[in-house]
């Protein structure tokens, strides 16, 4: 199910959206701590997480799915956002160093094609951070937040999907342990929930966050390697002097 860009913008303008942005952005910034000289792409609806990179990256782009809609970003500068088909991005091969994918994987009808396209535009050794709703989290069960729309994932499902599209996970974490409260007083306790949940590794986080690198070569399955290692036997020649069979 697609999300509307107006609903996404409204969510991030709300107290619950601001809490989600702060908690997720902290992890994104820790993983992409120094992006000086890099090209960065935000795919899905990543604009709440891109502003911190604008002063150090060579370029920062925001690509939003055609079915979602697009907004002008950044608001007070030349537009760096575009409405695209995310499985056919208007970028050359190996042109982006870092990708942040959020509010994209769970709503697309073609998740493998989306990750394959991200693989294509990433430079060799390029990295992607994927933020996806957790199947076991409360945020995925309430449709009043964007994380309650589309297809949530378990860690094993996300790992299999990345393996199929030639990504190698390098770091796993979770966020949004705090329930999506509506009351501001309860939301203020969100940071405490987050610290306790992260420290003890509690179940029920709202989103899975995985950082992965682009693999350049498809690994050879172990069964195929074993078959290739077996000795190859050619058909035996007929023994010398053996009678020649005749028919008729």
């Amino acid at each position: 199910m697609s999300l509307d860009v107006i609903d996404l913008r409204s969510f991030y303008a709300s107290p619950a959206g601001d809490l989600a942005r702060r908690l997720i952005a902290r992890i994104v910034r820790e993983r992409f701590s120094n992006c000086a000289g890099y090209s960065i792409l935000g795919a899905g609806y990543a604009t709440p997480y891109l502003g911190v990179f604008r002063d150090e990256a060579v370029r920062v782009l925001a690509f939003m799915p055609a079915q979602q809609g697009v907004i002008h970003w950044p608001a007070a500068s030349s537009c760096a956002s575009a409405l695209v088909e995310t499985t056919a991005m208007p970028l050359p091969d190996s042109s982006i160093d870092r990708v942040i994918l959020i509010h994209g994987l769970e709503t697309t009808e073609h998740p493998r094609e989306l990750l394959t396209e991200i693989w294509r535009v990433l430079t060799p050794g390029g990295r992607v951070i994927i933020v996806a709703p957790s199947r076991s989290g409360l945020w995925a069960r309430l449709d009043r937040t964007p994380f309650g729309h589309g297809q949530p994932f378990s860690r094993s499902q996300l790992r299999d999907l990345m393996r199929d599209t030639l990504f190698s996970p390098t770091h796993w974490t979770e966020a949004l342990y705090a329930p999506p409260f509506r009351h501001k007083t309860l939301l203020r306790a969100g940071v405490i929930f987050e610290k306790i949940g992260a420290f003890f590794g509690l179940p029920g986080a709202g989103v899975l966050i995985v950082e992965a690198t682009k693999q350049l070569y498809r690994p050879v399955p172990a069964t195929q390697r074993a078959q290739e290692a077996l000795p190859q036997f050619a058909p035996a020649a007929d023994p010398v002097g053996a009678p020649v069979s005749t028919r008729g």
Side-chain angles (χ1 to χ4, degrees), residues 108-246:
T108 182
E109 296 180 358
H110 308 287
R112 282 179 174 78
E113 288 80 354
L114 171 57
L115 290 185
T116 297
E117 184 67 357
I118 290 175
W119 187 96
R120 181 186 69 80
V121 303
L122 273 174
T123 57
R127 292 152 59 188
V128 58
I129 287 179
I130 301 171
V131 182
S134 172
R135 180 177 295 277
S136 62
L138 181 60
W139 289 71
R141 303 178 190 182
L142 300 175
D143 60 7
R144 67 171 181 259
T145 82
F147 300 104
H149 293 258
Q151 175 65 46
F153 291 87
S154 66
R155 181 175 292 204
S156 61
Q157 288 174 325
L158 202 52
R159 183 184 296 111
D160 291 344
L161 185 59
M162 288 187 295
R163 182 174 61 240
D164 292 344
T165 52
L166 299 184
F167 282 102
S168 178
T170 58
H171 183 80
W172 290 90
T173 190
E174 297 174 328
L176 304 187
Y177 289 93
F181 295 124
R182 289 181 172 177
H183 198 283
K184 290 185 179 180
T185 302
L186 295 175
L187 281 171
R188 293 191 187 102
V191 176
I192 299 175
F193 274 96
E194 200 74 7
K195 290 181 179 179
I196 294 174
F199 182 80
F200 290 103
L202 299 178
V207 295
L208 297 168
I209 303 177
V210 56
E211 179 185 4
T213 58
K214 172 180 178 175
Q215 295 181 13
L216 295 182
Y217 302 101
R218 184 179 296 275
V220 178
T223 54
Q224 181 177 339
R225 290 197 300 266
Q227 291 175 355
E228 292 175 350
L230 292 175
Q232 302 298 316
F233 297 101
D238 291 336
V240 176
V244 177
S245 62
T246 59

Side-chain angles (χ1 to χ4, degrees), residues 64-145:
M64 303 183 189
Q67 65 271 22
Q68 169 190 287
V70 66
I71 59 172
H72 183 105
W73 180 87
S77 183
S78 300
C79 185
S81 60
L83 191 69
V84 304
E85 176 53 61
T86 51
T87 57
M89 299 182 190
L91 290 170
D93 296 352
S94 303
S95 57
I96 298 294
D97 300 292
R98 300 288 185 267
V99 174
I100 300 168
L101 174 62
I102 182 168
H103 302 304
L105 189 64
E106 67 271 22
T107 57
T108 182
E109 296 180 358
H110 308 287
R112 282 179 174 78
E113 288 80 354
L114 171 57
L115 290 185
T116 297
E117 184 67 357
I118 290 175
W119 187 96
R120 181 186 69 80
V121 303
L122 273 174
T123 57
R127 292 152 59 188
V128 58
I129 287 179
I130 301 171
V131 182
S134 172
R135 180 177 295 277
S136 62
L138 181 60
W139 289 71
R141 303 178 190 182
L142 300 175
D143 60 7
R144 67 171 181 259
T145 82

